[in-house]
Amino acid sequence: MSKSVELQDVDIYYGTFKAVEGVSLTVAKNAVTAFIGPSGCGKSTVLRTINRMHEVIPGAYVKGKVLLNGEDIYGTGVDPVNVRRTIGMVFQRPNPFPTMSIAENVLAGVRLAGERMSKSDAEAVVEESLRGANLWEEVKDRLDRPGSGLSGGQQQRLCIARAIAVKPDVLLMDEPCSALDPISTLAIEDLIRELVEDYTIVIVTHNMQQAGRVSDTTAFFNLAGVGQPGRLVESGTTSDIFSHPKEQATEDYISGRFG
């Protein structure tokens, strides 16, 4: 299987503090990879490094290589804005732009990129993206109403529609269901399994059952102690990680002994 994203000996810093150390990991194309591990182990930090969101924090930087289809996204002259278009992100809490309509929310990323399009082309992007996020039938009669008026689960699907409207190659999701009720969570999980036909997906989750349900591959992160950098302990197929982990720490975490 061709590789989509590869991390090579990545260290991640917040100023002088090394938050994550020595991560080497390959993320396969058109598969769902879950990042699991206890709070503070660097899962979300690694996720944000994959599309250069980490460096938005003052003083934050990365050492090592992050390759997208063989190209280092931290290479000289690489535009981080283009990286974030190619590698989209959905955050923990739904964050539709409150002053924008549902349709305007979907088009926000496309417009930010400076793409000019006709009214009919814009309408086509809105419908295609909302259908892709399994939201079209619920909102097609109120596209001009505020996105903030939707339910939490609908808002998160709207954010997914906004992310896929710019046609990224990779979709990153940072605990996309943690603020949602069980029915909305199931809808997002079903959507992830549909989207993986078109996208490479990386999801951070605290929910072991969710990782088991939605992911093809699982990467377990841990840290030696408070103030120590997070590390990748092991990764493999989700069935292997959950049934036959190589490391005792992985088994202890999955079985609920800590974390």
Side-chain angles (χ1 to χ4, degrees):
M1 188 181 287
S2 57
K3 280 123 180 142
S4 180
V5 177
E6 188 176 354
L7 286 73
Q8 296 180 347
D9 201 21
V10 170
D11 296 338
I12 311 172
Y13 292 82
Y14 293 96
T16 57
F17 175 65
K18 185 191 280 188
V20 177
E21 183 172 70
V23 174
S24 293
L25 177 68
T26 298
V27 177
K29 261 185 181 171
N30 295 106
V32 180
T33 299
F35 288 179
I36 64 170
S39 295
C41 69
K43 306 181 295 296
S44 293
T45 298
V46 173
L47 191 77
R48 288 195 299 271
T49 297
I50 295 173
N51 77 338
R52 297 189 61 166
M53 284 292 289
H54 174 70
E55 67 196 55
V56 172
I57 301 162
Y61 64 98
V62 174
K63 289 183 178 178
K65 289 185 175 180
V66 180
L67 307 179
L68 177 67
N69 296 337
E71 298 288 322
D72 185 7
I73 66 168
Y74 286 89
T76 308
V78 176
D79 183 351
V81 175
N82 286 339
V83 170
R84 291 173 202 135
R85 286 194 66 203
T86 309
I87 306 176
M89 187 123 184
V90 176
F91 295 93
Q92 187 170 0
R93 295 198 170 273
N95 59 345
F97 299 117
T99 59
M100 289 187 185
S101 69
I102 291 168
E104 288 168 340
N105 261 284
V106 175
L107 293 168
V110 182
R111 295 256 162 85
L112 195 64
E115 286 188 32
R116 301 175 73 87
M117 60 175 71
S118 66
K119 186 168 184 284
S120 61
D121 285 346
E123 288 170 351
V125 169
V126 169
E127 180 172 348
E128 182 187 7
S129 303
L130 288 170
R131 283 190 185 280
N134 282 350
L135 190 57
W136 174 253
E137 293 299 330
E138 295 166 53
V139 302
K140 63 183 179 183
D141 298 323
R142 46 177 171 155
L143 296 174
D144 57 347
R145 297 201 193 151
S148 54
L150 299 174
S151 71
Q154 289 173 325
Q155 285 187 27
Q156 192 63 298
R157 280 182 285 148
L158 177 60
C159 293
I160 291 169
R162 186 174 69 199
I164 64 179
V166 297
K167 301 263 190 285
D169 294 330
V170 180
L171 204 50
L172 310 177
M173 298 185 170
D174 192 359
E175 294 191 55
C177 303
S178 67
L180 304 180
D181 61 84
I183 292 170
S184 297
T185 294
L186 197 58
I188 298 290
E189 289 180 5
D190 288 344
L191 177 57
I192 289 169
R193 290 311 315 172
E194 289 175 29
L195 289 171
V196 77
E197 292 182 18
D198 298 310
Y199 303 96
T200 296
I201 297 176
V202 186
I203 177 172
V204 168
T205 180
H206 273 288
N207 184 323
M208 294 299 99
Q209 290 77 21
Q210 182 171 80
R213 286 190 298 263
V214 304
S215 69
D216 305 291
T217 302
T218 295
F220 170 62
F221 292 83
N222 199 7
L223 67 171
V226 177
Q228 299 292 311
R231 288 175 170 273
L232 174 64
V233 176
E234 65 176 307
S235 64
T237 67
T238 297
S239 57
D240 280 351
I241 292 292
F242 277 74
S243 305
H244 312 289
K246 295 187 178 76
E247 302 294 330
Q248 185 64 45
T250 312
E251 186 172 326
D252 289 347
Y253 181 73
I254 287 168
S255 62
R257 291 195 192 106
F258 79 97

